[in-house]
Amino acid sequence: MLIINGKDESAFIGKSVDEFACQKGFNKEYMAVEINGEILPRDKFDSKFNDGDRVEIVCFVGGG
């Protein structure tokens, strides 16, 4: 099972962070990713999700 932001996203096992961001419509320039408690550097967004990963993704937005 792959958990992303508390939801079962097992359909993305074996897919990359880039693919996930693209399918969900996230702008990677304003996104921070933590996989299993480790911050993932932006240059590693081609990393694949594995079964059992727990992922947190935060997207920064502007506004006031």
Side-chain angles (χ1 to χ4, degrees):
M1 181 181 289
L2 169 65
I3 303 294
I4 301 177
N5 291 350
K7 286 180 50 183
D8 180 1
E9 297 279 5
S10 294
F12 288 94
I13 292 172
K15 297 194 177 189
S16 70
V17 174
D18 281 331
E19 291 171 305
F20 179 82
C22 183
Q23 285 203 334
K24 296 291 184 174
F26 296 155
N27 184 337
K28 294 182 294 182
E29 296 294 318
Y30 304 108
M31 196 171 95
V33 178
E34 178 186 278
I35 298 178
N36 301 322
E38 303 273 333
I39 300 295
L40 187 68
R42 189 166 288 137
D43 64 347
K44 303 283 187 192
F45 279 10
D46 59 344
S47 300
K48 307 278 187 199
F49 293 123
N50 297 303
D51 189 17
D53 282 347
R54 298 188 76 79
V55 180
E56 295 293 329
I57 297 175
V58 176
C59 296
F60 302 98
V61 295

